[in-house]
Amino acid sequence: MAKILIVEDNQLNLELSRDILTFNGHEVEHAEDCEACLSKVDAFMPDLILMDIGLPGISGVDCFKLLRQKSGFDKVPVLAFTASVMPDEIKKITDTGFSGLIEKPIRVSTFLSTINDALEVK
């Protein structure tokens, strides 16, 4: 299956998403903020990144922009992972260029289908 990096600072969201992904055969690594994400991607080489938007310090949107500047990561699918479902926030996220969006709280069926769709496009 795929190697997936979860960038998430909330322990409950991390555990649930990690458990669903590992149960479905994916290899999962975790970063709690943007700095950890940027340092882990080179060694882990993920097939997909699940990026929390409300990260401490550097936001998920800004982290996505920094990630796209790294050599070799301009085509890796990055899904926004957010509880913010206000239309203006969703537009800002989609306009940034994320490969898709997963809303919190997680709905297992849509969570997995969004992950699988992003991996297929890759």
Side-chain angles (χ1 to χ4, degrees):
M1 289 306 239
K3 293 171 68 172
I4 300 174
L5 176 63
I6 302 171
V7 186
E8 172 64 68
D9 64 315
N10 179 286
Q11 192 64 31
L12 292 175
N13 290 329
L14 167 65
E15 289 174 7
L16 178 57
S17 56
R18 181 187 58 219
D19 290 350
I20 293 168
L21 293 169
T22 56
F23 181 79
N24 283 275
H26 299 290
E27 180 181 347
V28 176
E29 183 63 48
H30 166 249
E32 64 281 348
D33 58 27
C34 183
E35 291 84 4
C37 169
L38 295 173
S39 68
K40 286 186 177 187
V41 291
D42 290 321
F44 186 59
M45 295 301 292
D47 299 305
L48 182 136
I49 298 170
L50 188 58
M51 179 78 67
D52 179 23
I53 297 302
L55 293 172
I58 300 171
S59 75
V61 171
D62 290 335
C63 189
F64 171 79
K65 292 174 185 176
L66 292 170
L67 187 64
R68 285 297 189 235
Q69 295 172 12
K70 287 182 69 69
S71 177
F73 292 96
D74 57 331
K75 302 285 190 236
V76 174
V78 181
L79 296 173
F81 195 33
T82 184
S84 179
V85 295
M86 298 302 294
D88 59 326
E89 284 295 314
I90 291 174
K91 180 167 177 21
K92 177 182 174 186
I93 291 166
T94 56
D95 287 351
T96 301
F98 282 88
S99 304
L101 182 134
I102 294 176
E103 293 179 9
K104 299 174 193 172
I106 294 172
R107 289 182 208 94
V108 177
S109 61
T110 55
F111 178 80
L112 287 173
S113 65
T114 304
I115 296 279
N116 292 333
D117 289 348
L119 288 168
E120 285 178 17
V121 170
K122 183 183 180 225

